[in-house]
Amino acid sequence: MRMFLYRVYENALARHPFITQVVSAGSLAGVGDVFSQLLVEDRWRKGGYEPIRTARFVGVIAIWVAPILYRWFGILERVSGGPSIVPIKRMLIDQTVMAPLLTSTVITNLHLVEGNTPYNAFLRARKEIIPVLITNYKVWPFVQLFNFYVVPLRYRIILLQFVGIFWNAYLSFMTQSTQSRSVADAVKARNVQNPHLHTEGRD
């Protein structure tokens, strides 16, 4: 059964590489968000799973991230040089150029689709970009080096998608936890400004 599914995927990848990678990326983004909500945030016991949040995350990854990466990896394949140095050059270009651009735009877009204004989305994203980038540089350079050195081009997307499940879970958790802190801070500020809110129900 697994071999059959693998052949189906390989056939789809060969015939329709763009659509296949977009659908794959979106699907695994959904898996990552579900993983984040149910296991990382422990909502399978507490309740409160939000399917709309998963849908937003899938939309951003499928509509924004996947098409960009599809073109980007094609550009990276044009990097020339000796076989021992090309993977390093590709990784450095990827992590220097694309990592900060994609990280900042993905986080901003996630806050936009939550209903924030562009200005508020930018303010929230600004708090998250640096921590996410720091974590990015602890993970993705090594993944990409392994990818470029060891994995044949045809199968590189499979490795990225597998690692992407956990990375997408992390991204989803980071953006949502920051949003929760922002809401909590707003409630605290409102309570400080309106101390009677604490006492009205006690009279």
Side-chain angles (χ1 to χ4, degrees):
M1 182 64 179
R2 284 182 296 180
M3 288 303 298
F4 171 75
L5 293 175
Y6 175 76
R7 286 195 294 269
V8 169
Y9 180 80
E10 281 284 286
N11 185 54
L13 193 60
R15 292 189 175 189
H16 310 286
F18 177 75
I19 296 298
T20 302
Q21 292 185 37
V22 166
V23 172
S24 299
S27 300
L28 289 171
V31 172
D33 183 71
V34 171
F35 177 81
S36 175
Q37 289 198 52
L38 297 184
L39 298 180
V40 178
E41 301 167 38
D42 204 22
R43 294 192 182 197
W44 72 276
R45 287 192 304 177
K46 301 175 183 177
Y49 169 71
E50 300 178 30
I52 188 64
R53 171 180 145 182
T54 301
R56 289 196 299 258
F57 198 75
V58 168
V60 169
I61 299 301
I63 296 173
W64 180 254
V65 176
I68 290 175
L69 288 182
Y70 179 80
R71 300 300 179 189
W72 177 244
F73 283 124
I75 293 172
L76 288 180
E77 283 302 305
R78 301 174 189 172
V79 175
S80 60
S84 62
I85 197 68
V86 165
I88 297 176
K89 290 168 66 175
R90 288 174 178 166
M91 183 275 292
L92 290 174
I93 294 171
D94 179 64
Q95 293 301 303
T96 302
V97 178
M98 185 53 66
L101 286 175
L102 204 57
T103 297
S104 58
T105 56
V106 166
I107 293 175
T108 303
N109 281 328
L110 283 172
H111 289 308
L112 282 173
V113 297
E114 289 168 357
N116 292 287
T117 64
Y119 180 70
N120 286 337
F122 170 75
L123 289 180
R124 290 184 175 181
R126 190 171 60 177
K127 298 177 182 178
E128 300 160 354
I129 289 170
I130 297 302
V132 171
L133 268 179
I134 291 173
T135 305
N136 171 90
Y137 290 129
K138 294 177 181 178
V139 176
W140 285 106
F142 304 101
V143 173
Q144 291 290 53
L145 276 177
F146 180 81
N147 222 6
F148 292 137
Y149 268 117
V150 178
V151 182
L153 175 61
R154 186 171 180 80
Y155 303 107
R156 286 174 189 165
I157 189 66
I158 298 175
L159 175 65
L160 292 182
Q161 290 171 348
F162 176 76
V163 179
I165 292 176
F166 303 98
W167 181 252
N168 290 336
Y170 166 74
L171 271 183
S172 181
F173 174 74
M174 279 293 293
T175 55
Q176 292 301 313
S177 61
T178 301
Q179 181 181 13
S180 298
R181 288 194 298 269
S182 298
V183 171
D185 290 342
V187 171
K188 288 179 182 178
R190 186 183 64 181
N191 289 340
V192 169
Q193 294 170 1
N194 301 278
H196 294 294
L197 290 175
H198 294 287
T199 58
E200 284 177 352
R202 300 175 188 172
D203 295 336

